[in-house]
Each structure stands twice: as C-alpha cells, then as structure tokens.
Amino acid sequence: MSTAAPAEPFVHPALFYRGDRQYVAGTVPFVLDGLSAGEPVAVAVPGPQLKLMKTELGADADQVHFLDMTQAGRNPGRIIPGVLRAFADVRSTARVRIIGEPIWPGRTSAEYPACVQHEALINAAFRGREVTILCPYDADGLDEKVLADAYATHPLVIDEGRELASAAYSPDTVVARYNEPLAPPPAAVAAAFTVEELSAVRHFVVRQAEDLGLSGVRLQDLALLVAELTTNSALHGGGSGTARIWTEGDQVVCEVRDGGRLVDPLAGRRPAERGQIGGRGLLLVHQLSDLVRTHTSESGTTVRCYLSR
C-alpha cells in the first residue's frame, strides 16, 4: 500500500489476498510503515492470521496491539465502538493505523448482513479523522458477492499489489440494501407489552430463556438487553411493542419489535461520551449480544439478538 500522504484524513482500503504469502505481503509492510512513522498500530484479525502476523513481525510485534476478531468482533455491531474507536479515541494525537478483518470464511448467513453494514458504517464513523483502517478479504475463501460488496464499502481496493479507486463505492446504498426484513422464526413464544408492562415482559422473556437452556451470566445478559430494548420501545417506539424468543441451533434468539423508526444507522455503535446520561441502551445491547440484526422502516423497527447457550 502506498505510504504517501492521503488526500483525505480517513483512509479505508480493502485488501484482497490469496493465501498466506499475499496476506503477509499486504499486511506486514503496512504495520511496519506505521511503526516507522510513529503511528499507533492495532491488528484485529481472526486467530490463524493473528498468529501468522505475530510470527512475521518478530520483535516488532511487541509494539502492536493485537485482538482476535473472532472474539472481539463476533458481533459486528460491537467492532466500531469496542475495537476501532476504543483504540483510536485514546490515541488521537497522531495518525492511527488499524488492520480489521471482520469478514472471514465461516461467517454465517445471519451474520453477514450485519458484517457488510459494519464495513459501510466505518466510513461515517471515522469521516474526517486521521485514521487508516485496512480490511483484508480472503479472495479464495469468500463468495464473489462478498468481494463485490467490498468494492461498495471501501473507496480503495488493493488486489495483486495494485491500489485502485473503487467505482462502485457507495456505503449508504449498502446500509440501505442490507436493511432487509428479518425472516419470521419457525416457532417462537411472544408477549405484547405496553409501558405499564415492562417488568412483566422482562420476567416473561427470562423465564422462557431459562426453559430454553440459557443460564448464568448469559441469562443475566439477556435480562439486561431485554430491559434496554423494551424501555426503548416505551420511550421511542410508540409506547408498546412485542417481544419474541426462540432457539436457533445452540443460540437463544430474542427480538423486540415496536412502531418506531431507527433513523440513525450508527445508533449503538458510538462509545458513550464521558459523563453522558442516557443513550447507552443499544450500545449495551451490542456489547452483550453475540449477534444483533435490525430492520427498520416506516411501519416499525425490529431488533433481534442472539446469545449462545
């Protein structure tokens, strides 16, 4: 990747790689150039790539902040506040470099829409900031549709060592396209609620989750996120809503639907400001869930949360 001064403060290229050799060639010089320039560097990629980079960097790895993205970014909605901005915001006196790989072979069809929306929203979250975020894509292991979406979410694409401006770049279009209606569950129990029934609906969901095998800390997490979502419905969603709960594989899934419309696509993806009162509900939901999917329209908003048992 070119180390020339960028025309815009924020730089967000996608790196297409095929095999370990191209991965190393595209990422390690990026890290070393940043260290040479005195820039703080973070690397958040899946475990095997993390091990590969540490090996290739040798002693220089001690200067890099590493995160396993399969853990830190399991829920894509957690990555901007909990990974990217958590690193960049405390190092705002210099340009920051980050490698973030949120999409890898093995991401499920339920996770992918949230992943590609995340990639699109990075551009709004960091607009005007002195940050470079390089996003690797396994061009051999990922579907062609994923690579096409990468052109739409990144203004620059690096492929076979060539850096090209993307003519397909349109992140707002991607956010809207993947704001898709969520498929109804095959079987779920449901409870409608109003502002007077917030406590009752929370107890209902927790009892159902226990019957479905959720326990311990994960049950406490569910109780917190249901409290936040139902309170949001009461305050901003018309004062009422419907909660549903069911299982998919080894996960318990809970959704809350109301009549409001979510107009800010970055809601829940901004870290809370120091001293901020309120406005943390969706942020907490993203932090506690293994996956969050949303759909919003003029007729209402659905927030669906997945928690592993």
Side-chain angles (χ1 to χ4, degrees), residues 14-306:
L15 168 69
F16 290 178
Y17 68 91
R18 298 163 185 84
D20 288 351
R21 181 176 298 179
Q22 287 192 6
Y23 193 86
V24 168
T27 58
V28 171
F30 175 85
V31 171
L32 294 176
D33 286 348
L35 295 178
S36 295
E39 299 172 1
V41 180
V43 174
V45 298
Q49 285 86 340
L50 206 65
K51 182 178 180 180
L52 177 65
M53 290 195 64
K54 287 181 177 180
T55 300
E56 292 292 329
L57 287 166
D60 289 315
D62 294 338
Q63 303 178 63
V64 179
H65 180 67
F66 289 99
L67 289 168
D68 186 337
M69 189 64 101
T70 64
Q71 299 175 21
R74 181 173 183 180
N75 172 23
R78 192 189 304 155
I79 299 173
I80 289 175
V83 176
L84 305 180
R85 283 197 53 184
F87 182 77
D89 286 3
V90 297
R91 297 167 175 87
S92 58
T93 58
R95 171 169 284 276
V96 171
R97 288 194 183 207
I98 303 172
I99 297 177
E101 188 170 359
I103 302 174
W104 57 84
R107 280 289 203 184
T108 67
S109 59
E111 292 170 338
Y112 179 69
C115 290
V116 69
Q117 283 187 318
H118 155 76
E119 284 280 65
L121 289 169
I122 287 176
N123 299 286
F126 285 91
R127 185 177 294 122
R129 295 193 56 174
E130 296 283 342
V131 177
T132 303
I133 300 177
L134 177 70
C135 300
Y137 281 76
D138 183 345
D140 284 339
L142 295 169
D143 189 84
E144 286 296 326
K145 177 184 177 183
V146 176
L147 302 183
D149 282 339
Y151 277 96
T153 55
H154 296 78
L156 298 171
V157 174
I158 305 167
D159 194 2
E160 300 286 352
R162 298 186 302 273
E163 183 176 304
L164 305 171
S166 172
Y169 178 62
S170 184
D172 292 343
T173 300
V174 170
V175 172
R177 178 169 15 115
Y178 283 95
N179 176 36
E180 53 194 17
L182 304 177
V189 292
F193 63 90
T194 63
V195 66
E196 291 83 11
E197 298 163 316
L198 295 181
S199 178
V201 75
R202 290 196 291 267
H203 287 301
F204 167 82
V205 170
V206 169
R207 287 195 304 270
Q208 295 297 324
E210 283 185 293
D211 291 343
L212 294 173
L214 208 61
S215 62
V217 173
R218 297 310 274 154
L219 188 64
Q220 296 173 28
D221 290 342
L222 177 70
L224 284 173
L225 69 86
V226 170
E228 293 296 341
L229 290 176
T230 53
T231 299
N232 276 351
S233 295
L235 295 176
H236 310 294
S240 64
T242 301
R244 292 181 174 83
I245 187 166
W246 67 94
T247 59
E248 290 185 15
D250 65 348
Q251 294 180 311
V252 171
V253 187
C254 176
E255 75 169 32
V256 175
R257 175 175 173 79
D258 59 43
R261 184 172 188 181
L262 189 63
V263 296
D264 178 7
L266 281 170
R269 299 173 190 258
R270 297 184 184 87
E273 301 292 338
R274 185 183 299 273
Q276 177 179 327
I277 299 174
R280 301 170 186 258
L282 285 178
L283 179 64
L284 181 64
V285 169
H286 278 295
Q287 289 174 337
L288 296 178
S289 303
D290 294 314
L291 173 66
V292 177
R293 293 288 309 281
T294 61
H295 174 252
T296 189
S297 69
E298 294 289 350
S299 62
T301 294
T302 301
V303 180
R304 184 173 291 183
C305 305
Y306 296 69

